[in-house]
């Protein structure tokens, strides 16, 4: 019996990043309420939604190499561009937003204290 574990591991890793973004959003919300910082923590939730969309596309797609055009795209777009945007673009954008928000909220941990 030949089982391909790569798609399963890909979904598990995407799910763990999705949960991590939600946890960071909750922690940043608590930190922001204590320090009376502007609510930039919402960026974690935006990133989690984008990453959740990526995760949903992974779950809907029966083959990791092809996006189901009937479900995802109703246009006549190039499938390679759609693949790139949904499987590479969404996670990259989500992680970029999360890193910027994390830097904004948590950079005081790296600051040197005299």
């Amino acid at each position: 019996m030949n089982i391909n574990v790569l798609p399963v591991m890909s979904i598990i890793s995407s799910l763990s990043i999705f949960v991590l973004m939600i946890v960071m959003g909750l922690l940043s919300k608590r930190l922001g309420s204590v320090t009376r910082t502007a609510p930039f923590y919402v960026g974690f939730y935006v990133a989690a939604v984008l990453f959740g969309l990526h995760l949903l596309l992974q779950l809907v797609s029966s083959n990791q190499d092809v996006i189901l055009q009937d479900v995802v795209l109703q246009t006549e777009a190039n499938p390679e561009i759609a693949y790139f945007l949904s499987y590479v673009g969404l996670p990259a954008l989500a992680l970029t937003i999360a890193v910027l928000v994390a830097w904004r909220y948590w950079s005081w941990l790296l600051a040197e204290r005299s």
Side-chain angles (χ1 to χ4, degrees):
M1 185 172 195
N2 194 4
I3 298 174
N4 190 4
V5 296
L6 196 58
V8 175
M9 295 302 289
S10 175
I11 290 172
I12 290 172
S13 64
S14 293
L15 183 64
S16 66
I17 293 171
F18 174 73
V19 170
L20 175 73
M21 288 183 192
I22 292 174
V23 169
M24 286 297 294
L26 293 171
L27 289 173
S28 296
K29 182 179 180 180
R30 292 188 97 185
L31 176 69
S33 68
V34 169
T35 61
R36 297 187 182 129
T37 309
F40 293 119
Y41 64 88
V42 176
F44 279 118
Y45 298 132
V46 170
V49 166
L50 291 174
F51 215 87
L53 183 59
H54 163 71
L55 180 62
L56 183 66
L57 289 172
Q58 276 186 316
L59 291 173
V60 167
S61 177
S62 61
N63 186 355
Q64 293 293 326
D65 296 330
V66 178
I67 295 177
L68 296 174
Q69 293 179 357
D70 296 338
V71 176
V72 179
L73 295 175
Q74 297 295 330
T75 64
E76 297 176 5
N78 191 354
E80 288 83 20
I81 294 173
Y83 174 84
F84 178 77
L85 290 177
S86 60
Y87 279 90
V88 178
L90 281 176
L93 180 62
L95 290 174
T96 301
I97 292 171
V99 165
L100 292 174
V101 173
W103 185 261
R104 173 75 174 119
Y105 264 99
W106 298 95
S107 64
W108 61 272
L109 289 172
L110 300 175
E112 182 179 353
R113 301 285 181 194
S114 298

